[in-house]
Amino acid sequence: MTTKDNAAGAKLEKMTTNLAKIEALSSRLMAALAARPASDPGVQGPGQEIYMKAATAYLAGLMQNPSRVLEQQISYWGKTMRHYVDAQQALASGELRPPEDTGPKDRRFSNPVWDSNPAFNYLKQQYLFNAEAVQNAVAVMEGIDDHERKRVDYFSRQIVDMLAPTNFLGTNPDALERALETDGESLVRGLENLVSDIEANNGEFAVTLADPEAFVVGENLATTPGKVVFRNRMLELIQYAPSTETVYETPLLIFPPWINKFYVMDLKPQNSLIKWVVEQGFTVFVVSWVNPDASYADVSLDDYIREGYLTAMAEVRRITDQPQINAVGYCIAGTTLGLTLSHLQRAGDTSVKSATFFTTLTDFSDPGEVGVFLDNDFVDGIERQSTADGMLSKTLMSRTFSYLRSNDLIYGPAIKSYMLGEAPPAFDLLYWNGDGTNLPCKMAMQYLRGLCQGDGLAKGTFPVFGHAASLSDIKVPLCAIACETDHIAHWRGSFNGIKQMGSEDKTFILAQSGHIAGVINPPSKGKYGHYTNPRPVAGAPDDWKTTASFTQGSWWPRWADWLANRSGSMIAARIAGESTNPALCDAPGTYVLAGTARLPKG
């Protein structure tokens, strides 16, 4: 038998093995999909009303201004037909070349085959023509308000992005090339990845974004030394060990969002905000929220304020023997910090010396991109599903936020994992992104109905312990950090909320980048810059930005200086977990480990 025969036999054996694996994996896939629990249709997509409104608006435009609509359609037909004729002529002449390609550059089509191969180039150009036509059709709709137009535009783009040829095996040259190179092994690995993801998510589709084996919370993430010094059913309170001989007198208490886990601020040491703040000489306390299950169904925002905010504030004052603290709220925790400050002002309680808001919305009159999910078609479905489950599941929230950046957080990772058979990267931020938490049903609906839909805090109607909270009641010195490309808490909305607060001492900082990268931006990286303006936080957000000064680099040092001026004198460093307040366990505590992919050893 020749060497060539041996190679052919080995290839045949490999193919037979792969086919057997595919058969076994297909059976597992069917079983995993069958195990998917029933879910409310309202959480799967927008209601039919939006499609009816879109169709009605398009027809209205056709009736009222037919020439405008026809011009748009004729332009589309002309481009597609001209491209088809050019492709046919090139084929008839025997030239294996694509027709002229003057379309926009799109990183989804970075493989050179999309430009050099006539068939793939034809698919690409026709897809881009169709995508442009859909966008133009939405743009010319008449008789539809701005909010509905945004929703139609968003969900139209979702459909267009979903139908990109890169999302299908037969029209993805990267996947086909990899399959040929590996004799189909990449497709087997991809199917293994798909089946594993669906099994891990109880039949739901959720692509794994980061290698779950690469990180362990408490071992190579969330490693800043500290102690859990208090625990109740809502939180663990972590006091971090000092790294300086002296510290500022006034302690700092950070409230992270309970939609995710606190260690986004304590990833690796080189990008840990918590570690950096400790190194600046502050006594730092951080709340680690419980990851609620169905037994927390009736927990309300009042409970988060009473057993979370007020209790943590009291414990920090007791432990440090200080009458006041400085407080930080991040995202939804910033919104709730605003509610808490309004309550404290009404009660005559001066225990908060200053407040800092990270990427926080308190005025929801324009909720930004996330607003497409805040109409009743979605919120009604969320309420029905959450009532049945006792909680708003982390899977549903993660999926919703991922669709705000679907090409980056869904389709791109799915292509790499399922078509190319690649293992997910060892990326700490993406690992954290996949380590989500649930929300109690009652609290979630109060937030969605009363704050997001009703804009109750800005309108002064949202109740805290039975009394309406108001932005004008927030009178402590405050600093707000918003992020320029934030798709969850857009910076203009953040600005509009801050300007309505009653404080006479306001600082607003606009950081470059998004909801996470704009905040977790250590000075050592020298990466994203920020805008500041000595003018009052008033007027239109864009006017403020136009006259603002830009500084390259992190906003952290600027905030640390602001905080230092409101933190009193320097005293001997406080030791976490002293005999007067014994530690319950080491940081990062136990609550943060609920639902993590891997637990620390021991």
Side-chain angles (χ1 to χ4, degrees):
M1 185 176 287
T2 65
T3 303
K4 187 174 181 180
D5 290 336
N6 287 333
K11 280 204 167 199
L12 180 61
E13 183 178 352
K14 186 175 183 180
M15 182 178 294
T16 303
T17 301
N18 285 336
L19 287 172
K21 287 182 180 178
I22 289 174
E23 184 176 351
L25 286 167
S26 297
S27 297
R28 280 175 56 193
L29 177 61
M30 293 301 103
L33 290 172
R36 177 184 177 185
S39 62
D40 193 284
V43 302
Q44 301 301 327
Q48 293 297 315
E49 185 180 1
I50 188 173
Y51 300 110
M52 293 299 297
K53 287 182 177 180
T56 301
Y58 188 77
L59 288 173
L62 181 61
M63 297 290 289
Q64 296 170 16
N65 196 349
S67 61
R68 183 182 178 191
V69 176
L70 286 173
E71 181 182 358
Q72 184 259 330
Q73 286 295 311
I74 291 170
S75 173
Y76 162 66
W77 294 333
K79 287 179 182 178
T80 57
M81 289 302 296
R82 185 166 54 252
H83 183 234
Y84 174 77
V85 171
D86 288 345
Q88 288 295 317
Q89 287 177 343
L91 185 63
S93 66
E95 295 182 67
L96 286 176
R97 62 167 180 82
E100 183 182 9
D101 185 350
T102 59
K105 296 298 180 184
D106 188 316
R107 58 194 177 97
R108 290 174 293 180
F109 303 105
S110 58
N111 190 310
V113 170
W114 288 111
D115 294 322
S116 61
N117 183 281
F120 280 103
N121 183 263
Y122 183 81
L123 280 172
K124 180 190 81 167
Q125 291 205 55
Q126 288 291 326
Y127 168 75
L128 293 175
F129 289 150
N130 279 280
E132 181 186 37
V134 171
Q135 290 176 329
N136 289 340
V138 173
V140 301
M141 289 191 309
E142 297 183 6
I144 188 169
D145 64 38
D146 288 342
H147 174 69
E148 293 295 346
R149 186 185 300 277
K150 286 179 182 177
R151 296 195 87 212
V152 172
D153 178 67
Y154 172 80
F155 290 112
S156 297
R157 283 188 284 112
Q158 289 300 314
I159 294 171
V160 168
D161 288 344
M162 180 179 65
L163 295 176
T166 47
N167 293 338
F168 301 90
L169 176 62
T171 52
N172 186 312
D174 294 302
L176 296 175
E177 288 172 351
R178 184 69 59 84
L180 288 173
E181 291 167 2
T182 62
D183 295 321
E185 184 67 27
S186 61
L187 300 180
V188 175
R189 291 197 303 267
L191 186 56
E192 287 175 337
N193 292 340
L194 174 62
V195 172
S196 296
D197 282 349
I198 291 177
E199 288 177 337
N201 290 283
N202 299 317
E204 295 280 357
F205 169 76
V207 61
T208 298
L209 297 177
D211 181 1
E213 302 299 315
F215 301 103
V216 179
V217 176
E219 291 185 7
N220 57 0
L221 294 175
T223 58
T224 300
K227 303 288 185 182
V228 173
V229 292
F230 175 80
R231 180 188 295 126
N232 65 13
R233 69 165 183 155
M234 299 301 297
L235 62 85
E236 288 184 327
L237 182 64
I238 302 171
Q239 179 182 359
Y240 285 92
S243 57
T244 54
E245 292 184 1
T246 58
V247 295
Y248 290 99
E249 192 174 29
T250 305
L252 179 67
L253 172 57
I254 301 176
F255 293 99
W258 53 91
I259 289 176
N260 294 100
K261 296 182 179 179
F262 83 89
Y263 67 89
V264 68
M265 294 182 285
D266 190 28
L267 294 167
K268 292 178 289 192
Q270 56 266 36
N271 62 356
S272 170
L273 173 60
I274 290 172
K275 179 176 182 292
W276 187 88
V277 175
V278 168
E279 290 171 347
Q280 308 315 302
F282 294 96
T283 302
V284 178
F285 292 81
V286 173
V287 164
S288 174
W289 298 103
V290 71
N291 187 0
D293 56 22
S295 68
Y296 282 73
D298 291 328
V299 167
S300 67
L301 268 170
D302 277 355
D303 294 321
Y304 270 86
I305 293 172
R306 180 186 297 106
E307 300 178 54
Y309 285 74
L310 299 180
T311 298
M313 290 174 178
E315 285 299 315
V316 171
R317 295 198 313 275
R318 180 185 66 80
I319 291 168
T320 61
D321 195 26
Q322 289 293 310
Q324 290 185 302
I325 64 163
N326 291 317
V328 178
Y330 193 160
C331 189
I332 187 177
T335 308
T336 311
L337 176 60
L339 295 170
T340 305
L341 292 173
S342 175
H343 162 72
L344 292 176
Q345 175 67 26
R346 187 178 60 251
D349 188 322
T350 60
S351 57
V352 175
K353 193 173 186 179
S354 77
T356 300
F357 298 93
F358 290 170
T359 63
T360 294
L361 283 182
T362 52
D363 181 337
F364 289 87
S365 57
D366 176 11
E369 290 182 61
V370 76
V372 298
F373 295 106
L374 295 177
D375 277 44
N376 279 332
D377 51 359
F378 273 110
V379 177
D380 288 350
I382 290 171
E383 184 165 24
R384 291 190 297 266
Q385 188 68 56
S386 299
T387 300
D389 297 340
M391 60 188 180
L392 175 52
S393 75
K394 62 181 182 181
T395 302
L396 178 56
M397 285 188 291
S398 175
R399 185 178 65 193
T400 299
F401 289 130
S402 293
Y403 270 107
L404 293 173
R405 291 291 182 271
S406 56
N407 285 323
D408 294 329
L409 295 177
I410 297 177
Y411 302 127
I415 288 168
K416 290 179 180 178
S417 183
Y418 307 148
M419 292 190 198
L420 302 180
E422 296 179 1
F427 188 3
D428 56 353
L429 190 57
L430 288 179
Y431 177 89
W432 166 84
N433 187 69
D435 187 16
T437 58
N438 307 310
L439 298 183
C441 175
K442 186 174 182 178
M443 171 265 140
M445 296 319 302
Q446 288 176 325
Y447 177 74
L448 291 172
R449 296 288 193 197
L451 292 172
C452 296
Q453 286 189 323
D455 198 18
L457 180 51
K459 291 179 178 178
T461 59
F462 190 86
V464 175
F465 305 137
H467 298 279
S470 172
L471 290 175
S472 61
D473 287 338
I474 301 172
K475 297 184 177 180
V476 300
L478 61 90
C479 180
I481 293 88
C483 297
E484 194 173 16
T485 59
D486 194 331
H487 61 283
I488 295 173
H490 70 126
W491 79 267
R492 293 175 181 85
S494 177
F495 182 96
N496 286 331
I498 297 299
K499 76 180 182 183
Q500 295 174 62
M501 294 182 183
S503 173
E504 295 181 359
D505 180 0
K506 301 178 188 178
T507 298
F508 190 83
I509 299 171
L510 178 59
Q512 289 184 311
S513 195
H515 194 69
I516 301 301
V519 174
I520 310 304
N521 181 28
S524 59
K525 299 289 185 182
K527 200 169 183 181
Y528 303 116
H530 60 278
Y531 297 87
T532 54
N533 195 328
R535 293 174 55 185
V537 183
D542 288 298
D543 291 343
W544 179 94
K545 184 182 177 184
T546 299
T547 57
S549 300
F550 178 76
T551 302
Q552 182 57 44
S554 174
W555 54 268
W556 292 8
R558 186 181 299 275
W559 175 58
D561 290 342
W562 181 91
L563 198 60
N565 290 329
R566 293 157 181 82
S567 297
S569 58
M570 304 299 289
I571 61 172
R574 304 174 174 105
I575 305 303
E578 291 180 302
S579 58
T580 55
N581 196 73
L584 303 179
C585 63
D586 289 333
T590 60
Y591 282 6
V592 73
L593 301 178
T596 53
R598 296 174 66 200
L599 298 178
K601 299 173 184 176

